[in-house]
Amino acid sequence: GYLGIMNLNMVKFPEGIALNVLPGENLRDVIIASGLDRAGYIKSLFLNEFIPRCLVFLCLSVSCIYVASRGKYMIDIQTESAAKTSRIETELDLATRIQTSMLPCLLPAFPGHENIDLRAVYYPAKEVGGDFYDYFIIDKTHVGVVIADVSGKGVGAALFMTISKTVLKNQLQLGISPAEALMNANQQLCENNDAGLFVTCWAGVYDTESGVLTFVNAGHNPPVIIRNGDRPQFISQRRGFVLAGMEGFVYKQEELQLSVGDEMFFYTDGVTEATDSKNSLYGNDRLLDCLESCCESSVEDQLIKLKADIDAFVGDAEQFDDITVMGMKIT
């Protein structure tokens, strides 16, 4: 339609020429019948109408073909990207469920040892994280407690977390001392650690008969202890080197006597290093103040109130690190 409409106003007429077009007559035929140069008319029509319109049509066609091809290419890319994103989300969701299922959720934590009330919560910064906790029965009179934090975030940290948790639990369940268990675990984790990841860890074995907690700190945050009725305070202890950081490191263990009514809280650095919109840290003092304000509550309520206090402090700021807290009370 665009090519077929000819604009006769583009035809050049000599001055003084008048055309009389009667009803039913064609303007083109009248022009030719008037004696004007037919060849000139056709040439003018061709040069001023047909060629420009063909050029415009050609440019539009090329442009439309290019836009259409690019559009199809972008649609294909988006479709492929959407499929890949969906596959990644599915795999991450599966990884999240697998990681969550690896963390113990048995209540009571130690069947047969109902005098120990132990609860734990875990909030990863991403779909999967590097924090983990564990608690398990070693024998009739000993139970194990572990909390750890793998360096890094995401899938890599989650994979190393899986390995670390398995190795630590296997070593502690052998019934050997915590120091020896961590030395063996460190040796295994150092092997083929090409990614250079490491683990901060606090591991303890509690004797349910004597009330003695034997523990080792491998570069982890010191736990908080609340003696029956006293103000919360951090445990004074040695901080050994991180796991998977150096082969052959010798860990030193320490002991702590726990009595009825005593509480302990284990946590990762995601708690004290929680950051608000002004880049201020939650810090050790806020942690102690919060635990003191709810020390009369149950362990479960204390963990809930601590997480609520952290959330209130952080506000709209994005969660920077994984948050893990574990509380244990001798009842």
Side-chain angles (χ1 to χ4, degrees), residues 298-316:
S298 65
V299 175
E300 182 179 8
D301 289 340
Q302 286 174 312
L303 297 184
I304 293 174
K305 292 177 180 178
L306 176 59
K307 182 57 168 61
D309 191 58
I310 295 173
D311 290 341
F313 170 78
V314 172
D316 297 332

Side-chain angles (χ1 to χ4, degrees), residues 177-183 201-205 214-220 237-241 251-254:
S177 66
E180 186 179 356
L182 261 68
M183 283 190 288
C201 171
W202 191 99
V205 175
T214 306
F215 60 90
V216 176
N217 188 333
H220 200 74
Q237 59 181 7
R238 301 187 189 95
R239 292 185 65 177
F241 199 61
Y251 293 92
K252 304 294 183 180
Q253 63 187 33
E254 301 177 64

Side-chain angles (χ1 to χ4, degrees), residues 196-214:
L197 297 175
F198 61 86
V199 186
T200 66
C201 171
W202 191 99
V205 175
Y206 178 67
D207 189 329
T208 58
E209 288 189 345
S210 65
V212 174
L213 176 66
T214 306

Side-chain angles (χ1 to χ4, degrees), residues 256-330:
L256 184 67
Q257 181 69 47
L258 296 180
S259 304
V260 175
D262 290 346
E263 290 183 80
M264 291 191 68
F265 286 89
F266 316 93
Y267 58 95
T268 58
D269 57 7
V271 174
T272 54
E273 294 180 4
T275 308
D276 64 7
S277 57
K278 299 179 181 178
N279 289 327
S280 299
L281 299 180
Y282 185 75
N284 294 332
D285 293 339
R286 284 189 179 88
L287 173 60
L288 295 179
D289 291 341
C290 179
L291 292 177
E292 184 179 21
S293 67
C294 59
C295 61
E296 300 298 328
S297 305
S298 65
V299 175
E300 182 179 8
D301 289 340
Q302 286 174 312
L303 297 184
I304 293 174
K305 292 177 180 178
L306 176 59
K307 182 57 168 61
D309 191 58
I310 295 173
D311 290 341
F313 170 78
V314 172
D316 297 332
E318 184 179 0
Q319 182 177 332
F320 174 74
D321 198 0
D322 303 329
I323 294 177
T324 304
V325 187
M326 182 166 57
M328 183 178 74
K329 183 174 184 179
I330 308 302

Side-chain angles (χ1 to χ4, degrees), residues 14-317:
E15 293 184 3
I17 296 296
L19 297 178
N20 185 20
V21 183
L22 299 177
E25 291 184 334
N26 186 284
L27 178 60
R28 176 178 175 274
D29 295 334
V30 172
I31 293 174
I32 296 174
S34 64
L36 295 176
D37 184 6
R38 181 173 181 177
Y41 163 74
I42 295 176
K43 179 181 178 181
S44 175
L45 197 65
F46 186 78
L47 294 176
N48 297 316
E49 287 283 330
F50 187 74
I51 291 181
R53 288 174 184 263
C54 285
L55 292 176
V56 171
F57 180 77
L58 180 62
C59 293
L60 288 174
S61 299
V62 173
S63 299
C64 290
I65 292 172
Y66 175 77
V67 170
S69 63
R70 291 295 298 177
K72 183 178 182 302
Y73 173 75
M74 293 303 298
I75 291 175
D76 293 340
I77 292 295
Q78 291 177 356
T79 303
E80 182 180 354
S81 177
K84 186 181 296 183
T85 301
S86 176
R87 184 171 65 252
I88 292 175
E89 289 178 351
T90 301
E91 292 175 353
L92 283 176
D93 179 66
L94 177 60
T96 302
R97 286 188 279 116
I98 291 175
Q99 186 180 39
T100 303
S101 66
M102 290 192 64
L103 299 176
C105 56
L106 182 66
L107 291 176
F110 306 111
H113 303 283
E114 281 72 17
N115 63 318
I116 306 174
D117 183 13
L118 188 147
R119 306 295 175 102
V121 291
Y122 170 57
Y123 304 95
K126 297 182 179 181
E127 288 80 0
V128 289
D131 284 7
F132 69 90
Y133 63 87
D134 204 356
Y135 49 84
F136 44 84
I137 296 176
I138 298 175
D139 55 39
K140 293 182 179 180
T141 58
H142 294 87
V143 297
V145 178
V146 177
I147 188 167
D149 183 4
V150 177
S151 62
K153 305 289 183 296
V155 177
L159 291 174
F160 203 70
M161 163 261 177
T162 304
I163 299 172
S164 303
K165 178 181 179 299
T166 303
V167 169
L168 282 167
K169 183 176 182 179
N170 290 343
Q171 288 296 323
L172 288 168
Q173 283 190 318
L174 293 176
I176 59 180
S177 66
E180 186 179 356
L182 261 68
M183 283 190 288
N184 295 340
N186 176 63
Q187 193 66 26
Q188 293 183 39
L189 293 175
C190 283
E191 297 175 0
N192 302 320
N193 184 17
D194 297 333
L197 297 175
F198 61 86
V199 186
T200 66
C201 171
W202 191 99
V205 175
Y206 178 67
D207 189 329
T208 58
E209 288 189 345
S210 65
V212 174
L213 176 66
T214 306
F215 60 90
V216 176
N217 188 333
H220 200 74
N221 301 77
V224 175
I225 185 169
I226 306 177
R227 295 292 186 181
N228 194 6
D230 294 341
R231 174 175 167 78
Q233 59 182 345
F234 294 104
I235 294 178
S236 178
Q237 59 181 7
R238 301 187 189 95
R239 292 185 65 177
F241 199 61
V242 297
L243 298 178
M246 180 175 63
E247 295 184 11
F249 189 85
V250 178
Y251 293 92
K252 304 294 183 180
Q253 63 187 33
E254 301 177 64
E255 293 184 352
L256 184 67
Q257 181 69 47
L258 296 180
S259 304
V260 175
D262 290 346
E263 290 183 80
M264 291 191 68
F265 286 89
F266 316 93
Y267 58 95
T268 58
D269 57 7
V271 174
T272 54
E273 294 180 4
T275 308
D276 64 7
S277 57
K278 299 179 181 178
N279 289 327
S280 299
L281 299 180
Y282 185 75
N284 294 332
D285 293 339
R286 284 189 179 88
L287 173 60
L288 295 179
D289 291 341
C290 179
L291 292 177
E292 184 179 21
S293 67
C294 59
C295 61
E296 300 298 328
S297 305
S298 65
V299 175
E300 182 179 8
D301 289 340
Q302 286 174 312
L303 297 184
I304 293 174
K305 292 177 180 178
L306 176 59
K307 182 57 168 61
D309 191 58
I310 295 173
D311 290 341
F313 170 78
V314 172
D316 297 332

Side-chain angles (χ1 to χ4, degrees), residues 1-6 53 57:
Y2 177 76
L3 287 176
I5 299 174
M6 299 302 178
R53 288 174 184 263
F57 180 77

